[in-house]
Amino acid sequence: MQASLPTPSSSAAASTHSKHPFKEPKKVEALSKFRTLLGPDNEKFDDAELMRFITARSYDLNGAKTQLLASLEWRKTNKVDDLPVPGPHNSNGVMYAVRGWNSVPDANIEAGQPNVPEHAVRLQKYMGGSCLHKWDKEGRPIYIERMGQHNVKGLAKNVTTPELVDYHIRCSEFVHQTIMPECEERFGTDDKVIDKETVIFDCTGMGFHQLHMDGLNMLRSLTDMDQKAYPERLGKLFIVNSPTLFVKIYSMIKKWLDPGVIEKIHILGKDYKSVLLRHIDEENLPEFLGGTCTCSHMPGGCVPSVIMNNIKPVEKSPTNSNLLAVPTYLRPRSSSTASGSSIMDCVMPGKPKDGFYQMLSTISHGKACEYEIVVADEDIEYQPEVVIKFRVKGIRAACDGLHFTVARFEFGNAADNGTIVVPTKFHSLSECPEGSEGIEVRFRAKDAGLYVLSWKPESQRGLVQMEYGVTVDGMPGEQGSESP
């Protein structure tokens, strides 16, 4: 039987579905309405979880419901809840360095540890170094990444997007399933929910060599997935030692982010120490970031880095392809009318077949499905060819056909000020039925920028599910890469 729901009112009556009940009238009312919208299934969710989806969709409850249900379906389809994560009651190996926690001992990632996939070990050679390092003054875990040290080209060439996504999922699940509960136990109060993390990206060493198309597309996949599958898990993001180059990179990344995420980002130059110390006690902040912690008891100190040679390269691990989880998300552009209410795109498990990479998009009510490709300045010399193939996967309701177009947006310009690259053309569904060779479109990326592929149904009478694949060829030393 469904429990009685809080009655919306202007008073500060708290919801009772949470260990930390919300008291703000706006949140109480929104939660009550959202639970009613969800029906009997609302009892499965804690207030804090529902509030994350409500906030992510700016209190658009229908959009929040769409995102919540799509996220649950993604987890179920890809068995995310079955992934093994390190914890106090198992011996699973960590995916990155951890420091200062009770639920898992201080450790670095090592080959041969239980349930550590081979690709998680392999990518350490190209990562600048990362660590889940203690907690801030609000009791939130701190994740530190030496972003400026990443070998982006090496990462894109030697690690596939599905492998990187799988690694990121495992890291995220570890934080949410193991570390967040410990934070709640150690630092939580009746009035404080601890369900977010503080992130520090150190840009020391960043250069033009990191403006690499495939690497940036990988980053976009992770960003999209976080916003769709793990909304409102970011507390604050501090980007320190940011050079002038970062302004250019951020102009690309910013277009992928929800406004709520952008508000949490603090871009700092060299004068960042006082800012960090306002949020983090000095004993919990690494010495190289202005604190006093050195973690001298551990190889590599606070944030081990193979690239910086403060730790030996991790041994090669035996390949175990059974440990790979493939899914990711492809998010509509933030300027799109679909961004708040579209059903998520996802890359389903499996190998490419007939040029289609099993990317599925369910498009509803005339909304556009949009896919972005980043082409950096250095890639233009080779004028990479982009090949798009698409066909109908299944029709849930009537739809006459799809309008397809490609537009390019210059870095740093307004999100809606684009140049048409492939003129809009209408394709009847009879041209690309399920199982057919589908429609193929090719073009060469002759200028740097964000290339946006867009599909829009002719009618608003229902849902249409589409299957598509995107490949980017012409890059030196590669035979083409699967687009995330």
Side-chain angles (χ1 to χ4, degrees), residues 153-429:
K153 289 185 179 180
L155 186 68
K157 185 176 181 179
N158 296 282
V159 180
T160 69
T161 297
E163 287 174 335
L164 186 63
V165 169
D166 171 80
Y167 173 77
H168 188 71
I169 292 172
R170 291 170 185 268
C171 293
S172 298
E173 292 298 316
F174 165 60
V175 173
H176 302 155
Q177 295 183 34
T178 300
I179 300 302
M180 291 294 185
E182 179 178 335
C183 291
E184 282 275 283
E185 182 178 345
R186 294 173 68 174
F187 312 117
T189 67
D190 290 341
D191 297 324
K192 182 170 68 173
V193 178
I194 300 178
D195 61 354
K196 307 182 192 313
E197 62 181 321
T198 293
V199 177
I200 302 174
F201 286 160
D202 182 7
C203 294
T204 300
M206 182 173 286
F208 282 97
H209 61 283
Q210 293 177 315
L211 276 175
H212 184 264
M213 181 175 65
D214 286 350
L216 291 171
N217 278 327
M218 282 181 160
L219 174 61
R220 183 180 61 83
S221 279
L222 302 185
T223 302
D224 295 345
M225 182 180 66
D226 281 344
Q227 293 183 128
K228 288 293 186 180
Y230 303 112
E232 290 297 308
R233 284 295 194 176
L234 176 65
K236 291 182 177 67
L237 168 57
F238 298 101
I239 301 174
V240 304
N241 290 312
S242 54
T244 303
L245 171 65
F246 184 80
V247 176
K248 183 170 186 177
I249 296 177
Y250 187 60
S251 71
M252 308 177 203
I253 299 172
K254 191 174 181 179
K255 294 177 182 292
W256 313 335
L257 304 178
D258 286 332
V261 174
I262 294 174
E263 292 176 358
K264 300 174 183 180
I265 298 176
H266 305 269
I267 301 177
L268 309 174
K270 301 294 183 181
D271 187 18
Y272 61 85
K273 295 181 181 179
S274 61
V275 177
L276 293 184
L277 290 172
R278 284 202 296 269
H279 298 275
I280 304 169
D281 291 325
E282 62 178 9
E283 62 268 24
N284 289 343
L285 187 66
E287 190 175 58
F288 73 89
L289 291 174
T292 60
C293 185
T294 60
C295 290
S296 58
H297 64 294
M298 290 298 297
C302 294
V303 185
S305 171
V306 172
I307 290 179
M308 296 185 70
N309 297 313
N310 68 9
I311 191 173
K312 294 181 180 179
V314 183
E315 296 178 12
K316 185 177 181 180
S317 175
T319 301
N320 186 346
S321 59
N322 294 328
L323 290 177
L324 178 62
V326 182
T328 187
Y329 288 123
L330 303 173
R331 175 181 172 273
R333 298 171 64 242
S334 59
S335 62
S336 170
T337 57
S339 61
S341 58
S342 65
I343 298 176
M344 287 185 289
D345 300 356
C346 57
V347 178
M348 303 300 290
K351 296 181 179 179
K353 182 180 179 181
D354 301 329
F356 293 90
Y357 289 82
Q358 295 187 296
M359 299 190 212
L360 303 180
S361 175
T362 304
I363 315 173
S364 63
H365 306 300
K367 304 290 186 181
C369 167
E370 296 181 338
Y371 178 84
E372 288 184 352
I373 299 174
V374 176
V375 177
D377 289 338
E378 67 172 31
D379 300 312
I380 297 308
E381 178 182 351
Y382 309 102
Q383 295 192 2
E385 183 180 39
V386 180
V387 181
I388 310 107
K389 296 180 70 174
F390 58 93
R391 64 190 174 195
V392 175
K393 179 63 177 176
I395 303 176
R396 301 188 188 181
C399 176
D400 299 324
L402 300 167
H403 293 275
F404 177 79
T405 188
V406 178
R408 182 182 70 86
F409 298 82
E410 293 186 8
F411 299 136
N413 283 10
D416 296 313
N417 183 19
T419 302
I420 298 298
V421 176
V422 177
T424 302
K425 183 177 180 180
F426 175 75
H427 297 279
S428 170
L429 295 189

Side-chain angles (χ1 to χ4, degrees), residues 108-177:
N108 296 331
I109 182 171
E110 297 180 15
Q113 292 298 302
N115 290 309
V116 175
E118 182 274 334
H119 58 273
V121 174
R122 180 179 2 113
L123 64 80
Q124 301 303 315
K125 180 179 179 180
Y126 311 101
M127 296 284 284
S130 61
C131 181
L132 194 67
H133 189 276
K134 303 185 177 180
W135 49 90
D136 67 9
K137 292 182 180 180
E138 295 186 55
R140 295 171 173 172
I142 304 169
Y143 174 74
I144 302 172
E145 186 171 303
R146 297 182 187 267
M147 177 180 283
Q149 300 297 324
H150 290 336
N151 179 350
V152 178
K153 289 185 179 180
L155 186 68
K157 185 176 181 179
N158 296 282
V159 180
T160 69
T161 297
E163 287 174 335
L164 186 63
V165 169
D166 171 80
Y167 173 77
H168 188 71
I169 292 172
R170 291 170 185 268
C171 293
S172 298
E173 292 298 316
F174 165 60
V175 173
H176 302 155
Q177 295 183 34

